[in-house]
Amino acid sequence: HYLKRHYGNRMFLRMNHAFKKCLKKNGRVEFSALKNFVFYPRNPFPHQIAGSYSSRLNADKTRLLVEIKPFDVPPQNGLVTEYYFQLILVTGDPSEENRLEVETMESPLFPYGKDRTNTVRFETDLPEDRPWLAMIKLNSLEINELANHGKHYGIVVIGWS
């Protein structure tokens, strides 16, 4: 809903193109097609997120731990007041229609203009029986509403099976 509102069908067409290239190359659609996918090409947030997080799988690859270290998130204008992070976990076969499930976890809100000194941690179990895709998303608020412009958001793919 949000992505479509800000980027229309272009993002979905680009994602579809990435999946088609994967299908042609590997003979099947896999989440790995989104390895270097840029969700919001016109804003700088994905670059900031990419340099400030770490993700680890446990030994049997059934648990994911994500840490987002403190870093300065500059407001993109004077209207945004707070931001927060989400861990988005998509599970299921990307080649099957209506088979994907999405789970999210959210961090607390952080005010713009104040140093964030704590590390945000997400930890989740991963399915052993189906593919998964994990992403970190940065969201901004304008007072108590989600920010209206796409430049206040960022998504980066952090792992998949």
Side-chain angles (χ1 to χ4, degrees), residues 21-144:
K21 281 176 62 176
C22 180
L23 178 63
K24 186 175 181 179
K25 179 180 177 186
N26 301 331
R28 56 183 278 189
V29 176
E30 301 171 341
F31 284 128
S32 63
L34 300 179
K35 178 180 179 184
N36 295 313
F37 189 79
V38 178
F39 287 85
Y40 300 97
R42 293 188 190 154
N43 74 19
F45 280 163
H47 305 294
Q48 291 177 329
I49 292 172
S52 302
Y53 77 90
S54 64
S55 61
R56 296 187 305 272
L57 293 172
N58 64 351
D60 59 0
K61 298 184 179 183
T62 59
R63 192 141 186 86
L64 176 67
L65 172 65
V66 178
E67 294 182 338
I68 306 170
K69 299 174 183 84
F71 66 95
D72 184 31
V73 178
Q76 300 295 310
N77 67 24
L79 297 176
V80 291
T81 54
E82 297 170 303
Y83 65 95
Y84 66 98
F85 298 97
Q86 285 180 303
L87 174 65
I88 302 170
L89 181 65
V90 181
T91 60
D93 187 341
S95 65
E96 293 184 23
E97 206 169 318
N98 300 320
R99 298 289 183 185
L100 298 179
E101 295 178 21
V102 179
E103 298 175 35
T104 61
M105 301 168 80
E106 296 181 358
S107 75
L109 289 173
F110 300 104
Y112 276 107
K114 295 186 180 171
D115 289 338
R116 181 173 62 86
T117 58
N118 59 328
T119 297
V120 173
R121 288 182 179 82
F122 295 113
E123 196 167 352
T124 188
D125 291 323
L126 299 170
E128 296 179 51
D129 59 341
R130 61 190 187 276
W132 57 269
L133 172 73
M135 300 173 279
I136 299 171
K137 182 177 179 187
L138 175 64
N139 302 280
S140 296
L141 297 178
E142 294 174 352
I143 305 178
N144 291 324

